Amino acid sequence: MSASTPRKPPPPGSGRPRSEPGARSPRADRGWRVVISVRPRPASGAGTVESVTPATIDRELRLARAAVFGVFTLNGFLLAMWVVHIPAITDRTGVSSSLLGMFVLLLAGAAIVGMRLAGPAADRFGSRTLVAVAATAISVTVLGPALATGPVSLAIALACFGLGNGALDVSMNTQAVHVERAYHRPIMSAFHAMFSGGGFAGALVGAATQRLGWSPQLTLTIAGIAGLAVTAVLVPHLIPHHRSDPGSRPEHYDAPVDDPDRAHPAEPVTRDGRPDIAPPVRAEPAGTDATRSTITPSGPATEPKRARHATARTRKVLSLGVIAFVLLLAEGVAADWSALQAREHLDVSESDAALAFGAFSATMTLGRFLADRVSGAIGPVAILRYGSLLAGAGFAVVIASPWLPLTLVGWAMCGLGLAGGVPQIFTAAGNLGGTTAATDMSRVFTIGYLGLLAGPAVIGWLTALVPLTAALAVPLVLTLACAARAEVVSR
């Protein structure tokens, strides 16, 4: 085509019109919110999304993803630094094993309080702000147990550390949901794998400093200073506060948008493309079709529908919480009882029995690094269903196995099967939309965390009635039930 040939306009209905280079979007002049995503979403209903340079977006999202990786790693590292110093700290404070058990429950209870407080705080102030506060808090309070001189001061220190850890757990997972949504593909499991990696690194560093003869005060002081420095570097790259935006959910997440409070601010439409009820009012030239199509009356007629949506949302949160409870219960059982089960059931040495936990933790970490790619290929429902079935089969192998190698295979199956389920639950909870996404996630976190605490205790109580190996039938049955309800992550 020669330079003098006039350009033909696009035919009607052929798609969104092209904007000339340097042209200013009329929506920007009217104060429309710009949504940044890795690739532009197709237009639907009212309006389009203003384009942004892909290179700039890619760089910002890569930095945000790396920053969230760093926060997860930092959390696992600082938690491990406390765990590896438990013997030295209990000797210093004169705390008995039974009292230490109560203090661990105190730490867990404080973490639950932190989770419940963190949800509304993240919705109000943004997850980035809360990550900064919580990461700073645990970087400072990780030193508290090392400075404790008695049971009372140790209890106070652990309560403060647990409060910050619970708040960081919710806020960093909320931030992870934002990053995953912008990436339009599953990446949540990799974040959880980095938490495991941080814990492994913390265990190695703690063991090395103890071998060098460093005191817990020195080691945890250095760890806390490093945590503050890492937090200062990572937080500026996190995604800033914005209202939940289901219209830019990751493409692998197939939950329908049927809540009027969850409509995209620039695209207030239902699944069939019609305007949703009671969308936000936007400035448009008077008398335009956009004004007539986006402003609908609200009143008593819409209240029953909103009430139904609220009830359905509550049921969804509870369903996700129950599945998280089951999965984390099974994870807690495997983590706390695998080595003891191998030693008692197979009559092997303690060093051989320790391989049982090693097989479980190794395959769980590996599975979390692989789960995102698999989830992108087969979807979150399949990850949860087949993973739960694999975990149930693993528990069955452990129960029936008379040989250590076969028992190790069973525990490895449990780790691989449980690896991807919990991240799918948290992704689903974070993508419920609306203005209370972090609060919903904190509720799911709280219920699931109770399972992590209750699992080992339930098995311990059952061992007074049946052998330990027989008690493992509880997580076996529960994981199979979880597989039957795997569709909860798709709705």
Side-chain angles (χ1 to χ4, degrees):
M1 182 181 293
S2 64
S4 61
T5 303
R7 180 181 299 174
K8 294 181 179 181
S14 62
R16 69 178 67 174
R18 295 185 180 180
S19 58
E20 295 297 329
R24 184 173 176 85
S25 170
R27 295 196 182 281
D29 292 334
R30 293 196 296 264
W32 285 74
R33 184 165 67 94
V34 177
V35 177
I36 298 176
S37 59
V38 174
R39 9 184 233 275
R41 296 178 57 83
S44 63
T48 59
V49 178
E50 191 171 348
S51 60
V52 185
T53 305
T56 304
I57 298 172
D58 290 345
R59 180 175 182 275
E60 291 177 352
L61 288 178
R62 284 197 302 269
L63 289 175
R65 183 186 185 187
V68 178
F69 275 142
V71 174
F72 272 79
T73 304
L74 176 64
N75 190 12
F77 178 82
L78 292 178
L79 193 60
M81 292 300 288
W82 141 248
V83 172
V84 298
H85 287 95
I86 286 178
I89 291 173
T90 53
D91 289 342
R92 171 185 170 86
T93 56
V95 172
S96 64
S97 297
S98 59
L99 187 57
L100 176 63
M102 296 186 64
F103 283 177
V104 171
L105 288 177
L106 173 64
L107 186 150
I112 291 175
V113 173
M115 292 175 187
R116 294 308 307 270
L117 295 176
D123 286 328
R124 181 176 178 85
F125 303 107
S127 59
R128 181 170 74 172
T129 300
L130 197 59
V131 165
V133 173
T136 300
I138 67 167
S139 297
V140 172
T141 57
V142 71
L143 179 59
L147 299 179
T149 57
V152 175
S153 56
L154 180 60
I156 295 173
L158 290 178
C160 294
F161 184 64
L163 193 69
N165 187 67
L168 183 59
D169 220 347
V170 170
S171 58
M172 71 183 185
N173 275 279
T174 303
Q175 184 70 203
V177 168
H178 294 329
V179 174
E180 183 182 53
R181 183 182 298 146
Y183 259 79
H184 293 275
R185 62 183 175 88
I187 57 176
M188 177 66 79
S189 295
F191 292 132
H192 286 255
M194 293 305 295
F195 176 84
S196 301
F200 182 70
L204 291 180
V205 171
T209 56
Q210 287 177 333
R211 184 175 293 274
L212 293 174
W214 291 16
S215 66
Q217 293 89 338
L218 176 60
T219 302
L220 294 180
T221 297
I222 295 175
I225 293 173
L228 292 173
V230 170
T231 300
V233 171
L234 297 179
V235 167
H237 299 295
L238 299 176
I239 293 179
H241 179 44
H242 62 276
R243 294 172 68 88
S244 184
D245 184 9
S248 60
R249 287 184 297 185
E251 293 174 358
H252 71 281
Y253 185 75
D254 55 352
V257 180
D258 55 0
D259 187 338
D261 293 329
R262 292 165 53 189
H264 192 295
E267 298 177 314
V269 294
T270 57
R271 284 177 292 177
D272 58 0
R274 293 177 301 177
D276 207 344
I277 66 168
V281 178
R282 274 167 216 82
E284 293 282 354
T288 62
D289 291 338
T291 303
R292 291 191 295 271
S293 65
T294 58
I295 300 178
T296 57
S298 61
T302 66
E303 292 305 319
K305 186 172 183 179
R306 291 182 182 276
R308 289 195 300 270
H309 284 309
T311 302
R313 186 190 190 91
T314 300
R315 286 200 302 265
K316 178 64 178 287
V317 170
L318 290 177
S319 298
L320 292 172
V322 169
I323 299 297
F325 180 93
V326 170
L327 294 179
L328 289 174
L329 181 148
E331 182 179 337
V333 169
D336 288 6
W337 291 102
S338 56
L340 185 60
Q341 184 275 337
R343 185 167 66 85
E344 290 187 355
H345 183 60
L346 303 175
D347 195 24
V348 298
S349 65
E350 292 185 358
S351 59
D352 288 341
L355 296 175
F357 174 71
F360 170 78
S361 60
T363 54
M364 170 162 278
T365 302
L366 176 63
R368 283 181 171 168
F369 277 116
L370 299 176
D372 288 330
R373 187 174 297 275
V374 178
S375 177
I378 66 176
V381 175
I383 284 284
L384 182 56
R385 174 171 291 127
Y386 297 122
S388 299
L389 290 174
L390 181 61
F395 281 113
V397 169
V398 169
I399 292 172
S401 171
W403 306 294
L404 179 63
L406 185 58
T407 297
L408 297 182
V409 170
W411 287 119
M413 292 170 62
C414 290
L416 192 61
L418 294 172
V422 171
Q424 307 308 318
I425 296 295
F426 292 160
T427 293
N431 280 290
L432 291 179
T435 59
T436 60
T439 301
D440 295 333
M441 182 175 285
S442 71
R443 291 168 179 163
V444 174
F445 258 92
T446 301
I447 299 173
Y449 196 71
L450 289 174
L452 187 65
L453 297 177
V458 168
I459 297 301
W461 295 332
L462 287 177
T463 55
L465 304 174
V466 297
L468 172 58
T469 300
L472 295 181
V474 172
L476 188 160
V477 172
L478 290 177
T479 51
L480 295 180
C482 182
R485 293 291 299 159
E487 71 277 1
V488 71
V489 297
S490 70
R491 286 188 270 166

